Amino acid sequence: MMRTHYCGQLNETLADQEVTLCGWVHRRRDHGGVIFLDIRDREGLAQVVFDPDREATFAKADRVRSEYVVKVTGKVRLRPEGARNPNMASGAIEVLGYELEVLNQAETPPFPLDDYSDVGEETRLRYRFIDLRRPEMAEKLKLRSRITSSIRRYLDDNGFLDVETPILTRATPEGARDYLVPSRTHPGSFFALPQSPQLFKQLLMVSGFDRYYQIAKCFRDEDLRADRQPEFTQIDIETSFLDEKDIMAITETMVRNLFKEVLDVELGELPHMPLAEAMRRFGSDKPDLRIPLELVDVEDQLKEVEFKVFAGPANDPKCRVTALRVPGGASMPRKQIDDYTKFVGIYGAKGLAYIKVNERAAGVEGLQSPIVKNIPLDNINVILDRVGAVDGDIVFFGADKAKIVSEALGALRVKLGHDLNLLTCEWAPLWVVDFPMFEEDDDGSLTAMHHPFTAPSCTAEELEANPAGALSRAYDMVLNGTELGGGSIRIHNKGMQQAVFRVLGISEEEQQEKFGFLLDALKYGAPPHGGLAFGLDRLVMLMTGASSIREVIAFPKTQSAACVMTQAPGLVDNKALRELHIRLREQAKAE
Ligand code: ASP
């Protein structure tokens, strides 16, 4: 071993001891004939002082530059009072350098690491190996490693087996596009990279493994949406002979343990909320419960009004009219309301009606609003009572298709919560339950809300009679408005699985072609089973306070699903294409 200690481990207890450090020159300063080098390794920084008395060593210290890799031997000594640095783990001591060996030189890095300023993300990703040297980045990766260790420990202690599943496989439908890999040995055929290990983990249950987990890479070729990665990591879990209550309890304890161990945070017991309630009160399937604002439906008060903007949606069962009270919001300037109007426009809302409640006792005179003249005062008063409006509040309204209103006002609620600093706590986890089995597409066809292997909470006959009304045995864990993970009890009966396939419009032939192996497994003694998967990257992002999942992945892809460092994806030569039986369209045209 070359080093005796990490830089960040040095402290007063080592005073007068000789140590050897290995690391990078973080900063070099020349101070009246003495040279200071801050040496950095993954655990932190240490200050090393070189005196001119040791001539040869001093001369070497004089020549080193930022990011040189060095080995330093010296003696730990307390810094004089006044020269201590409370911001540095080793800030109470310094090392008097005796020997200095340059292990490697470095060119001037493309961005400075000591004074890290606004370097574009593209540059950081292009030189990720340097970016990761920054202490903040090292901290995040270290925390990520502690998180996975804690989770593994918990699952190992609770009888879960870590089993790997294939990366080269067939499509596993999770609602995204597949990444395909052409086969050389089977001309014209393709593997798909797994969108999740879903079917394999179910098959492991059929094999009797009972409790499985895997920290698994998943691949989804999704359209460019903010903060998604084409490959990401799941903590994937499956169990047999447990119902949804058991599974939620085990995994909730895992997450609570994790927060206690890694952040010393007590999350407490997680509330369970039906999806319908989450949509009604918060306009979201992943409500951020740190924000004390709620949507309150008021269509019953607006059915008869002449004002079409409200009366239309109030009388249409596919629509929703809802109110959102913001305490103390009446002082909001016009400009801010305009900005919020633009904001809800992103979600398709055509406007943002509001009432400023200046003085309720003064009747209409006390209300400032472009809409009050269109609505009878009696109805307005019922609405204001229902939302609990008092003097000084503002009440916003949404009236449109239910989906638009929920999304727009749900997002506005979160934005207001942040803009006005209304957050009531740091962590607000919950379970969302009672999801519908299916979602209706614009063309009226149904798609699985979770995935097609999720068990309904009704019989197969009831399901086929009224698929749109069927609920599933699925559950999501939500934290601070982010979906941390989700899962379900699965179908373990072939007839039920085929009923779901039929509802989804998957023909008998296609069922056999795509899922024949699953249907086979279901007929050879499949136990009742279920599980879930957590998104590791998002979990780490929340726990480290990072602003994006790219910040907690060592080598992430850019927003356009490329790696700017390795230049992937890249072109391949014709020979390789020929071996894969592939001819590119451009080539074909030229020939
Ligand atoms: N496979 C599911 C997903 O990736 C999770 C699960 O149902 O366990 O969302």
Side-chain angles (χ1 to χ4, degrees):
M1 249 197 304
M2 286 177 133
R3 61 158 67 91
T4 59
H5 295 82
Y6 279 116
C7 297
Q9 287 174 334
L10 300 185
N11 58 34
E12 302 90 302
T13 63
L14 297 168
D16 296 327
Q17 275 191 39
E18 193 169 291
V19 295
T20 299
L21 306 173
C22 291
W24 285 258
V25 176
H26 189 65
R27 192 183 298 134
R28 179 182 161 285
R29 277 163 298 145
D30 219 318
H31 264 299
V34 205
I35 293 171
F36 288 95
L37 297 185
D38 285 348
I39 308 296
R40 186 192 65 240
D41 58 32
R42 61 169 233 206
E43 298 300 320
L45 293 168
Q47 172 172 295
V48 186
V49 190
F50 295 91
D51 285 338
D53 342 345
R54 287 190 181 71
E55 243 172 75
T57 308
F58 185 83
K60 276 196 219 162
D62 198 32
R63 282 195 302 271
V64 301
R65 292 291 172 264
S66 282
E67 300 310 308
Y68 274 32
V69 187
V70 294
K71 176 178 167 191
V72 176
T73 302
K75 195 154 119 190
V76 176
R77 67 180 187 197
L78 296 178
R79 290 197 202 183
E81 285 290 346
R84 302 196 171 167
N85 181 352
N87 298 322
M88 200 164 157
S90 66
I93 56 95
E94 62 189 6
V95 175
L96 179 61
Y98 295 159
E99 281 164 42
L100 171 69
E101 188 184 336
V102 173
L103 301 174
N104 208 348
Q105 303 189 339
E107 289 185 17
T108 307
F111 45 85
L113 280 97
D114 54 346
D115 175 23
Y116 178 75
S117 44
D118 274 333
V119 182
E121 193 180 23
E122 181 102 5
T123 309
R124 289 177 50 204
L125 291 180
R126 165 91 177 75
Y127 298 100
R128 189 59 153 183
F129 45 89
I130 295 174
D131 189 40
L132 292 180
R133 287 183 192 163
R134 292 193 297 115
E136 307 89 288
M137 295 307 285
E139 268 324 302
K140 289 181 198 138
L141 289 191
K142 282 184 337 199
L143 200 91
R144 183 173 175 126
S145 172
R146 285 174 58 205
I147 291 171
T148 47
S149 307
S150 162
I151 286 170
R152 283 185 188 283
R153 213 174 310 122
Y154 176 84
L155 292 170
D156 291 341
D157 289 349
N158 282 279
F160 285 79
L161 294 181
D162 177 2
V163 184
E164 287 169 86
T165 54
I167 294 294
L168 293 176
T169 178
R170 281 200 73 122
T172 35
E174 298 279 2
R177 211 176 279 117
D178 286 318
Y179 273 98
L180 299 175
V181 180
S183 162
R184 180 179 58 80
T185 47
H186 297 272
S189 293
F190 293 79
F191 292 104
L193 304 183
Q195 292 188 30
S196 79
Q198 184 61 35
L199 292 174
F200 290 103
K201 66 174 173 175
Q202 291 191 228
L203 296 177
L204 286 170
M205 295 305 108
V206 178
S207 306
F209 286 100
D210 232 71
R211 289 181 177 214
Y212 140 97
Y213 84 95
Q214 183 181 189
I215 306 228
K217 267 288 170 80
C218 302
F219 305 85
R220 297 185 190 178
D221 188 1
E222 286 180 292
D223 291 327
L224 307 180
R225 268 203 273 162
D227 223 17
R228 296 258 179 153
Q229 284 282 305
E231 60 176 297
F232 61 96
T233 309
Q234 282 187 344
I235 303 155
D236 194 41
I237 292 174
E238 195 75 9
T239 66
S240 302
F241 309 113
L242 298 179
D243 65 16
E244 47 271 64
K245 292 230 164 33
D246 302 324
I247 295 172
M248 284 190 267
I250 292 179
T251 52
E252 172 174 333
T253 309
M254 178 184 92
V255 171
R256 279 163 51 185
N257 253 12
L258 169 71
F259 272 76
K260 182 71 195 147
E261 267 184 43
V262 174
L263 297 181
D264 198 21
V265 164
E266 297 282 0
L267 287 183
E269 221 169 285
L270 274 58
H272 291 211
M273 186 181 294
L275 175 74
E277 180 183 341
M279 294 306 291
R280 181 165 44 77
R281 294 173 58 195
F282 308 108
S284 170
D285 57 0
K286 35 183 183 296
D288 188 339
L289 298 187
R290 295 171 303 170
I291 298 165
L293 305 177
E294 284 195 30
L295 310 185
V296 178
D297 286 342
V298 295
E299 36 281 272
D300 60 315
Q301 293 304 309
L302 299 162
K303 284 186 193 299
E304 317 278 299
V305 302
E306 265 164 43
F307 192 37
K308 284 270 174 336
V309 177
F310 281 166
N315 287 295
D316 182 340
K318 285 212 151 71
C319 289
R320 173 171 193 190
V321 185
T322 201
L324 175 66
R325 172 179 86 103
V326 184
S331 55
M332 213 176 265
R334 186 61 218 232
K335 162 89 176 62
Q336 201 173 348
I337 297 179
D338 288 346
D339 288 346
Y340 289 137
T341 309
K342 265 191 223 129
F343 176 76
V344 294
I346 302 172
Y347 301 88
K350 290 187 274 298
L352 183 62
Y354 65 89
I355 299 177
K356 283 184 173 180
V357 183
N358 294 332
E359 194 188 348
R360 277 202 70 176
V364 187
E365 300 306 308
L367 303 176
Q368 191 184 335
S369 160
I371 57 166
V372 282
K373 57 181 184 311
N374 300 310
I375 306 169
L377 187 58
D378 284 350
N379 299 93
I380 289 184
N381 276 327
V382 175
I383 292 172
L384 293 180
D385 285 343
R386 193 177 292 167
V387 300
V390 296
D391 293 354
D393 293 351
I394 189 168
V395 182
F396 289 110
F397 292 87
D400 209 315
K401 293 256 174 333
K403 187 164 182 271
I404 292 179
V405 171
S406 297
E407 278 182 11
L409 285 232
L412 178 65
R413 169 183 174 272
V414 172
K415 185 163 173 54
L416 286 163
H418 288 282
D419 288 357
L420 308 179
N421 281 322
L422 300 175
L423 274 52
T424 54
C425 58
E426 202 180 347
W427 303 104
L430 76 152
W431 287 104
V432 177
V433 296
D434 295 345
F435 287 86
M437 276 294 279
F438 306 105
E439 237 171 342
E440 206 174 314
D441 290 342
D442 292 335
D443 64 359
S445 66
L446 297 176
T447 45
M449 184 100 176
H450 188 46
H451 50 55
F453 319 109
T454 296
S457 44
C458 58
T459 65
E461 294 70 40
E462 287 164 342
L463 180 82
E464 289 198 84
N466 177 18
L471 291 184
S472 74
R473 297 175 68 186
Y475 33 79
D476 274 0
M477 190 189 280
V478 172
L479 176 61
N480 295 357
T482 298
E483 184 193 323
L484 271 192
S488 58
I489 297 296
R490 327 295 184 189
I491 296 168
H492 67 281
N493 168 292
K494 185 173 171 224
M496 177 68 97
Q497 186 63 71
Q498 289 190 298
V500 169
F501 285 151
R502 273 195 298 276
V503 171
L504 292 170
I506 305 177
S507 69
E508 195 87 20
E509 209 183 3
E510 194 181 347
Q511 292 176 23
Q512 277 311 324
E513 207 264 314
K514 288 190 172 152
F515 304 114
F517 63 100
L518 175 69
L519 294 174
D520 276 348
L522 294 182
K523 59 184 195 206
Y524 290 112
H529 63 287
L532 84 176
F534 290 98
L536 177 65
D537 309 293
R538 292 218 202 130
L539 178 63
V540 179
M541 177 183 93
L542 287 178
M543 291 181 78
T544 55
S547 54
S548 129
I549 58 170
R550 297 189 297 284
E551 294 292 293
V552 299
I553 296 174
F555 299 104
K557 307 274 187 293
T558 58
Q559 293 275 48
S560 65
C563 171
V564 282
M565 185 177 67
T566 61
Q567 308 272 310
L571 299 175
V572 297
D573 61 29
N574 280 330
K575 179 165 174 286
L577 285 177
R578 217 173 305 125
E579 280 175 350
L580 293 169
H581 321 282
I582 287 177
R583 194 187 319 153
L584 300 181
R585 279 204 187 170
E586 292 306 310
Q587 266 174 343
K589 252 192 271 163
E591 276 167 27

